[in-house]
Amino acid sequence: MPAAPRPPFPAAVEPRAPRWVPWLPVVLLVLDLVTEAVVPDAVAAGFLLTALPVVAAFSYGPALTATTTVGALGLQLALALRAGHIDEHHHVWVYIATLLSGIMGTTLAWQRTRQNRNLLHARTVAETLQRTVLRPVPERAGGLRVAGLYRPAQAEVLVGGDLYEVCDTRFGVRVLLGDVRGKGLGAVRTVADVLGAFRATAHDTPGLVEIADQLDRAVLRDASDRGDDELFVTAVLLQYRPGSDCVEIVNRGHTTPLLLADRAITPVTCPDELPLGLGHLGPADERSKPTAVALPAGHTLLLYTDGVSEARDATGAFYPLSPRLAALGTTSPDRVVTFLAQDVHEYAGLLADDLAILALTPEGP
């Protein structure tokens, strides 16, 4: 039975305040009691408690905030009674201010809770749509072990301009990884169109070059519909037949795949092809055949977008992908992807571009 696919994003969770925020009401309460103990003849005993309901509203729900209001009023009355000032004019105004603060705090807590629920619902819907566009990477597919990573430059967007797909078909495993020119919602639309076209053709089209040509026409139609003559998608397509010791690759203007073997990192040389959407600009009768690349057991093929290779450090230097992988000393897809996920982030900090990685290796005998 194939392993369950792994989601590229964590599940949506309800927004929470920082851990120290729920302690603020306690700190305020302690501060007021210490003030009362140090200055026992204070005129406005419990005056700090006026802000307690509003502070509680940032962390707790409306019911607990209302309870905090009642507690603050009770403590103010007790402190004022202890000082013998319970019905003095300024104390009455403190009680009124605390009550108003409690009403506003309870309302604020209700509104915050409502907004959090709406935000959680919206994020859940967005993640459902995201998983429809970018499906989880399967751990195994047609004799291959697979590991993947997708990280948009803007974490709140969920889907960016990079794309990937792994399809187990009657022709073997077919893989697509690409990068759309541009960003924003327009790029997401192109991502959805290209992935939809790939999923529709991967199971029925015999040749890898023919699939690339159909994707090329799909991007060209999208560009025509939008009136964008500069729309294109760089992409690399791969096919692996179970039991084979090689893979077939078609590279349409994408970053060069890498073959990992122990500490040897070898770029995979493919014929230069125009990106998807620009194929009509090249000679119509010059379509290259797929490039056959040996992929024995223990070797890993790494596909990646330029969000990896063009990540820069504080000095502007590009991420040294091959040297870093050579120093890693392993070809395990899981370990390679886990290493890059952490190392690229440590090297470049916040990403300036989307990032997608797929690592594939034949399963052992």
Side-chain angles (χ1 to χ4, degrees), residues 128-155:
T128 301
L129 293 175
Q130 179 272 330
R131 290 188 178 93
T132 302
V133 176
L134 290 176
R135 297 172 182 172
V137 177
E139 293 185 359
R140 289 175 174 80
L144 287 176
R145 289 170 50 210
V146 186
L149 172 70
Y150 183 83
R151 186 175 293 167
Q154 296 176 304

Side-chain angles (χ1 to χ4, degrees), residues 18-99:
R19 292 183 178 181
W20 53 269
V21 173
W23 290 97
L24 286 179
V26 178
V27 172
L28 189 60
L29 176 61
V30 171
L31 181 60
D32 187 87
L33 294 177
V34 169
T35 302
E36 173 67 19
V38 173
V39 190
D41 295 329
V43 174
F47 70 97
L48 290 178
L49 300 179
T50 302
L52 193 60
V54 174
V55 175
F58 284 97
S59 302
Y60 305 108
L64 191 54
T65 302
T67 302
T68 301
T69 303
V70 174
L73 281 170
L75 187 55
Q76 285 175 333
L77 289 168
L79 292 175
L81 180 61
R82 176 174 173 271
H85 301 151
I86 190 169
D87 57 353
E88 289 191 1
H89 186 71
H90 62 276
H91 281 283
V92 174
W93 283 108
V94 169
Y95 309 149
I96 294 174
T98 303
L99 179 61

Side-chain angles (χ1 to χ4, degrees), residues 1 16 24 28 35 58 65 102 118 138 141 144 153 159 165 173 187 196 233 277-278 281 321 357:
M1 180 179 296
R16 294 181 180 274
L24 286 179
L28 189 60
T35 302
F58 284 97
T65 302
N118 292 341
L144 287 176
V159 180
E165 182 59 287
V173 180
V233 179
L278 302 180
L281 300 179
L321 178 58
I357 301 171

